[in-house]
Amino acid sequence: MSIQQNLEKIKSSLPEHVTLVAVSKTKPISDLMEAYNAGQRIFGENKIQEMVDKHKQMPKDIVWHMIGHVQRNKVKYMASFVSLIHGVDNLKLLKEINKQAKKQDRIIDCLLQIKIASEESKFGMTSSEASTVLQSEEFSELKNINVVGLMGMSTFIDNKSQIKSEFNYLKQTFNKLVSSHKQLTTLSMGMSGDYQLAIDCGSNMVRVGSSIFGRRNYSI
Ligand SMILES: *Cc1c(COP(=O)(O)O)cnc(C)c1O
């Protein structure tokens, strides 16, 4: 199936309230343009340099999401155009995003990444760390960022019931935080293998790569 056909199939299966982020990391511009020409406007990348390069070469109405782990010293390269940063997992990083957004006279939307997976390798805060950040004085002084929701990645495992309980945990965390922080509206969870399950568990933003663009080849 072509990229366009994959996209159409996925979009037709998504409820109206769910936003599709097309995860285009490692894929060439020609593939992204195929998705663009099929109407896709939101693209997700996990490396800042790659996103900067693609942003330069592609139409300016694309909405760029940074979905990977963010190194503080690289925030400046994307601050002029990034629309949503999914993987924010500490206050120091929020401060740097705020600083760079201010230089650009922008307000940058962010999601707090919550660690839901059992793997050590996955980044993220605990639910109580996120709560502490949102209630802190320092956070309230950051005028050039908006924390608009939460993001999580499930364990890389073929066990639906474990993935489901991780998604449910994230949704509960989201509900708990929303009660005192009404600005939280986005819950980014679900990828190619599990986005339907994620939506059933309350996701309203899914990050889908290989089901749109095909398998990634990391050797090139
Ligand atoms: C790569 C990636 C995805 C997409 O993964 P697929 O399985 O190809 O859909 C989603 N979220 C994050 C954070 C990723 O790094």
Side-chain angles (χ1 to χ4, degrees):
M1 288 225 293
S2 69
I3 289 170
Q4 176 174 359
Q5 287 168 324
N6 290 338
L7 253 178
E8 278 165 7
K9 187 161 162 242
I10 293 166
K11 280 202 293 202
S12 68
S13 76
L14 294 181
E16 192 125 6
H17 70 281
V18 176
T19 300
L20 173 65
V21 180
V23 176
S24 48
K25 62 194 189 192
T26 78
K27 296 295 177 182
I29 303 264
S30 56
D31 285 7
L32 279 73
M33 279 311 297
E34 203 175 324
Y36 179 88
N37 289 328
Q40 183 65 25
R41 289 296 178 272
I42 306 177
F43 290 86
E45 291 283 333
N46 74 334
K47 294 213 163 64
I48 292 174
Q49 192 54 54
E50 185 175 341
M51 184 172 75
V52 168
D53 290 343
K54 286 173 172 169
H55 167 258
K56 269 189 203 140
Q57 298 175 58
M58 294 189 65
K60 293 300 170 265
D61 61 341
I62 291 178
V63 173
W64 292 98
H65 287 197
M66 173 44 55
I67 63 167
H69 184 66
V70 176
Q71 286 171 276
R72 264 201 316 281
N73 61 348
K74 293 192 177 157
V75 172
K76 55 179 176 281
Y77 302 116
M78 63 176 170
S80 66
F81 69 90
V82 68
S83 287
L84 181 63
I85 303 178
H86 289 233
V88 180
D89 65 357
N90 62 76
L91 184 60
K92 256 179 134 172
L93 179 56
L94 276 174
K95 284 185 182 170
E96 176 64 16
I97 296 167
N98 185 73
K99 179 176 153 191
Q100 298 300 334
K102 192 170 182 181
K103 280 191 193 166
Q104 301 291 336
D105 202 17
R106 296 186 68 216
I107 295 171
I108 297 180
D109 287 346
C110 300
L111 303 177
L112 297 182
Q113 183 170 358
I114 305 294
K115 183 170 155 56
I116 56 172
S118 53
E119 294 131 326
E120 272 308 309
S121 59
K122 299 252 158 75
F123 296 98
M125 320 179 163
T126 65
S127 153
S128 72
E129 283 167 347
S131 174
T132 303
V133 165
L134 290 169
Q135 284 171 56
S136 69
E137 175 91 38
E138 281 174 293
F139 173 74
S140 68
E141 287 163 0
L142 305 177
K143 302 297 182 205
N144 292 75
I145 51 148
N146 262 337
V147 171
V148 297
L150 304 180
M151 175 267 205
M153 279 178 93
S154 64
T155 305
F156 189 68
I157 192 177
D158 203 14
N159 176 341
K160 276 217 155 149
S161 71
Q162 181 175 343
I163 296 175
K164 191 174 174 192
S165 73
E166 292 174 359
F167 284 160
N168 280 329
Y169 172 75
L170 182 54
K171 172 64 170 157
Q172 281 162 24
T173 300
F174 182 75
N175 289 348
K176 204 160 54 181
L177 293 174
V178 165
S179 62
S180 39
H181 305 281
K182 300 281 186 243
Q183 76 272 27
L184 304 177
T185 54
T186 299
L187 183 54
S188 165
M189 64 179 190
M191 325 196 330
S192 289
D194 55 23
Y195 69 86
Q196 267 131 350
L197 179 60
I199 292 167
D200 292 343
C201 295
S203 168
N204 60 18
M205 182 174 280
V206 294
R207 310 175 307 267
V208 180
S210 42
S211 290
I212 298 172
F213 295 105
R215 281 180 55 189
R216 287 177 291 274
N217 182 352
Y218 285 103
S219 65
I220 52 168

